[in-house]
Amino acid sequence: MRITELHIYHFKSIREIHLTEIENVLILVGQNSSGKTCILDAIRAVMGNYVIAPEDFNEKRQKIEIEAEIELDEESLKSLHARKIVSGYKRYEKWLADFGNKLPSWKDGRLRFTFQASPDGDIRYFDGVHKNNRYICQLLPEVFYLDSQRDIRQMQETILMFQEDDLLKRMRTGCCMFDSGKPCSHCFSCMGLIERKRPDEMNAFEAEKLLEYKLYQMNLDGFSRRVNRIFRRNSGRQEEICYELQCHANQIFQVETTVYNPNREYGMAVDQMGKGMRSIYILSLLEACMEE
C-alpha cells in the first residue's frame, strides 16, 4: 500500500499543491517555512494520525481538502482480508467483491478519495459516491512522524505489537473466542470450554510465566536477537537492547525497552540515549521488522 498522488487545498500555508507519480520514497527539499512540514502533516491528517486544529485553516476559513490516490497491491489486499478489514468474509473472493462494493472508488488497484475538514470540526472521507465513506479510514495505515527529538515510543510499541502471536492479538481486540470477526458479546458460551481446565494445578508465578511465554516471549526473543544484531552492526557498539514484558495488573502486556552495556554493567531506557543513537536504534528496529 502506498500513496501515489496528493492534491492539497487550503491547508495551513498551502493554497494548493499537486504531487503526482509518488514513488516508494518521497524526498521534500526546500527552504525553511516553504511548506515541507505542511505536506507531511497533510499526509498524517489523511491517515488519521494528525488532528486538524483551528490554526490549520486559512484566513478565509475555507474547507481543507486533500485528494489522495492510494495503490493497493495484491499483498496489501490479502493482508486486509486476513485482518477482516472492511469486510468479514472468510473466502478471499467474497471478501474482495464486498470490498469493491463498499469502496466504489477503488478501481484498477487504486483507491481515490478526498479528505475534507471543515472549521466546525466535521471530518469526512468523500469517495465520489458517499459523502463520508467510513470504510476508507479503516484500511489506512498508521503513519509515524519522527522529528528532531526522535520520540520513538509510539513507533516502537506498534512494531512490537506486530511480533505478538495471534492469540494475544485477539485478546487485545476484545473479539469473540470462537469467531475473531465478531466482538465479544459477553454471552459466556466459552465458559464450558474454559472450565475443563484446572488452574489449581498452577501457582500464580507459574501461570504468569506460562502466559508470558505462550503469548509473547517466543516471538519477542527472536525479534530481540534480530534488533541487537542489526543495532550492533549499525552502531559499532556492544550495548544490548533488552525487552521486558510487564505483567503487573496495571501494566499488563506493556514492553519496557532498555539498552544494557555489559562492560559497565548498567542499563538505561532507550529514550534516554542520545539523538544519534536513538536514530540508529530506529533504523535497526525498522530493518528487523522488514527482515521477516
Side-chain angles (χ1 to χ4, degrees):
M1 182 185 301
R2 67 184 180 93
I3 299 172
T4 54
E5 187 172 343
L6 278 176
H7 204 159
I8 306 170
Y9 300 90
H10 315 308
F11 180 61
K12 293 191 174 184
S13 62
I14 297 175
R15 178 181 299 175
E16 179 183 352
I17 189 170
H18 195 186
L19 304 176
T20 61
E21 299 180 1
I22 301 174
E23 299 295 335
N24 291 334
V25 176
L26 174 63
I27 300 176
L28 302 174
V29 180
Q31 297 180 348
N32 291 341
S33 302
S34 61
K36 301 186 298 297
T37 301
C38 293
I39 294 174
L40 297 178
D41 287 342
I43 294 173
R44 295 168 62 206
V46 169
M47 300 300 170
N49 299 109
Y50 177 89
V51 178
I52 299 293
E55 57 268 24
D56 294 331
F57 294 89
N58 60 22
E59 294 179 356
K60 297 180 180 179
R61 308 297 289 170
Q62 291 175 287
K63 180 188 295 185
I64 294 171
E65 292 192 336
I66 305 171
E67 298 174 359
E69 180 183 87
I70 295 180
E71 182 181 68
L72 293 165
D73 57 15
E74 189 73 10
E75 182 180 355
S76 299
L77 291 171
K78 289 185 176 179
S79 175
L80 293 172
H81 167 247
R83 290 179 287 143
K84 293 182 170 59
I85 303 296
V86 176
S87 175
Y89 281 107
K90 294 183 179 180
R91 287 184 55 189
Y92 179 70
E93 294 76 12
K94 287 190 174 182
W95 176 89
L96 192 62
D98 194 33
F99 182 89
N101 291 332
K102 292 177 177 176
L103 296 165
S105 62
W106 176 63
K107 295 179 181 179
D108 301 323
R110 300 196 175 191
L111 178 69
R112 298 169 180 84
F113 62 91
T114 302
F115 169 88
Q116 300 175 333
S118 59
D120 61 5
D122 187 35
I123 301 293
R124 295 184 179 184
Y125 288 85
F126 175 63
D127 63 4
V129 177
H130 305 98
K131 290 183 178 180
N132 184 28
N133 191 327
R134 61 187 178 89
Y135 294 107
I136 292 176
C137 57
Q138 291 182 17
L139 60 85
L140 298 176
E142 187 171 5
V143 173
F144 301 104
Y145 178 72
L146 298 176
D147 58 14
S148 59
Q149 299 304 312
R150 301 296 191 271
D151 185 0
I152 63 177
R153 183 166 294 275
Q154 179 190 9
M155 184 187 72
Q156 175 182 269
E157 288 178 355
T158 301
I159 289 178
L160 290 178
M161 283 182 66
F162 289 148
Q163 309 306 314
E164 297 171 352
D165 65 16
D166 291 337
L167 182 56
L168 184 50
K169 289 178 181 177
R170 291 177 62 189
M171 291 173 65
R172 285 189 186 275
T173 62
C175 66
C176 172
M177 181 175 175
F178 300 116
D179 188 348
S180 59
K182 297 180 180 179
C184 176
S185 62
H186 302 99
C187 66
F188 300 111
S189 298
C190 57
M191 290 304 295
L193 178 63
I194 295 173
E195 287 177 347
R196 297 176 189 174
K197 303 181 183 295
R198 295 182 54 189
D200 59 327
E201 295 178 351
M202 306 179 193
N203 60 39
F205 181 76
E206 290 170 339
E208 176 186 327
K209 289 302 176 184
L210 179 63
L211 184 65
E212 179 178 335
Y213 178 78
K214 290 292 185 181
L215 298 183
Y216 199 103
Q217 201 61 49
M218 289 183 66
N219 286 340
L220 192 59
D221 281 346
F223 185 71
S224 175
R225 286 193 293 270
R226 293 201 306 274
V227 169
N228 276 290
R229 172 173 52 81
I230 298 171
F231 179 73
R232 293 190 187 103
R233 183 194 69 197
N234 291 340
S235 67
R237 298 168 63 167
Q238 294 303 310
E239 282 90 348
E240 180 180 1
I241 303 296
C242 304
Y243 299 110
E244 180 182 359
L245 182 67
Q246 299 293 332
C247 289
H248 303 297
N250 61 339
Q251 294 180 314
I252 193 163
F253 302 139
Q254 294 295 314
V255 176
E256 296 295 331
T257 308
T258 57
V259 56
Y260 178 75
N261 188 317
N263 296 324
R264 300 180 182 178
E265 296 186 348
Y266 82 98
M268 63 179 176
V270 167
D271 53 12
Q272 293 179 347
M273 292 192 298
K275 293 180 182 178
M277 292 305 295
R278 290 206 302 273
S279 297
I280 292 175
Y281 172 65
I282 291 169
L283 176 63
S284 304
L285 193 65
L286 292 172
E287 286 189 45
C289 186
M290 295 299 293
E291 267 193 3
E292 291 190 338

